[in-house]
Amino acid sequence: EVQLVESGGGLVQPGGSLRLSCAASGFTFSSYDMHWVRQATGKGLEWVSAIGTAGDPYYPGSVKGRFTISRENAKNSLYLQMNSLRAGDTAVYYCARGLGIAAAGPFDYWGQGTLVTVSS
Amino acid sequence: SYVLTQPPSVSVAPGKTARITCGGNNIGSKSVHWYQQKPGQAPVLVIYYDSDRPSGIPERFSGSNSGNTATLTISRVEAGDEADYYCQVWDSSSGVFGGGTKLTVL
């Protein structure tokens, strides 16, 4: 059974940093691209970052230069280092498995999410 | 940047057919994926590559994509289908979601 479990969320002050983790199990982690998707309370989904099987990262303009995605295949783990956090980054952050960025594939499995709150 | 437009809400009576649209410039040339999200839960993939259904998703869920509009169709709607639905595509190596549609079962 595919499982994705996020951790590392919490309360952080504006300008601060936080590192999210996602522990994967039930599939060959190294064979899949992985993603972070966030959702502010009462709002829609927003794609935050992706990392390919070769470790190649992808970001939207809203987080580029502030967020860094990485993976550690030996530990079946995905990470998101978030710096220079803003109030607008407050959201539930989901880890999701992808079926191929080059193939424009979907996110077929999602974790339950971890809440990040940026506030003074 | 690429924009996907969904109606904020759609209402349908039980047993009827619900159609949720996702508009985008020449979206027919892209692969569209659909997700269902119930309150307090993570999204679930219900349609991928325009019209394919993951295992475990009822045949009542179907999709189409042509021109400037992709459509998620839910036949014989049930109370349990009440949820938010999001369309998603890839554009220039960036993931793009529609704003979401709240499906209300009357």
Side-chain angles (χ1 to χ4, degrees):
Chain A
E1 178 193 5
V2 172
Q3 285 197 329
L4 299 169
V5 179
E6 303 92 339
S7 61
L11 175 64
V12 61
Q13 292 188 340
S17 299
L18 209 57
R19 189 195 196 207
L20 305 183
S21 300
C22 172
S25 61
F27 64 101
T28 304
F29 180 74
S30 60
S31 297
Y32 290 85
D33 54 286
M34 297 296 297
H35 304 257
W36 290 98
V37 177
R38 69 185 180 185
Q39 185 173 37
T41 301
K43 302 297 184 182
L45 301 172
E46 180 186 12
W47 174 76
V48 172
S49 62
I51 187 164
T53 56
D56 42 320
Y58 302 84
Y59 306 98
S62 57
V63 307
K64 198 167 188 177
R66 300 189 300 123
F67 290 10
T68 302
I69 190 171
S70 61
R71 64 191 302 162
E72 191 167 358
N73 291 337
K75 292 187 176 181
N76 291 335
S77 293
L78 175 72
Y79 306 102
L80 185 67
Q81 177 67 43
M82 303 185 295
N83 299 330
S84 303
L85 284 163
R86 309 164 179 166
D89 296 317
T90 295
V92 172
Y93 284 71
Y94 294 102
C95 164
R97 189 179 83 167
L99 290 186
I101 299 167
F107 311 122
D108 65 340
Y109 286 94
W110 299 62
Q112 284 304 305
T114 186
L115 176 63
V116 172
T117 303
V118 183
S119 175
S120 54
Chain B
S1 60
Y2 195 77
V3 176
L4 294 175
T5 301
Q6 297 182 236
S9 63
V10 168
S11 299
V12 62
K16 300 300 185 182
T17 296
R19 294 179 178 85
I20 298 172
T21 59
C22 176
N25 184 34
N26 197 26
I27 194 173
S29 67
K30 298 182 180 298
S31 295
V32 180
H33 316 299
W34 291 92
Y35 304 88
Q36 175 194 68
Q37 186 180 33
K38 296 181 178 179
Q41 298 184 18
V44 172
L45 179 67
V46 294
I47 292 290
Y48 64 108
Y49 289 125
D50 298 341
S51 58
D52 290 339
R53 265 179 300 104
S55 60
I57 300 301
E59 292 184 8
R60 302 184 296 104
F61 287 79
S62 62
S64 63
N65 183 21
S66 179
N68 293 318
T69 305
T71 303
L72 172 68
T73 300
I74 309 172
S75 305
R76 303 180 300 283
V77 166
E78 302 174 358
D81 298 331
E82 189 161 284
D84 294 326
Y85 291 85
Y86 296 89
C87 57
Q88 180 254 320
V89 302
W90 285 93
D91 180 70
S92 302
S93 298
S94 286
V96 181
F97 286 96
T101 297
K102 181 176 181 57
L103 176 67
T104 299
V105 181
L106 300 171

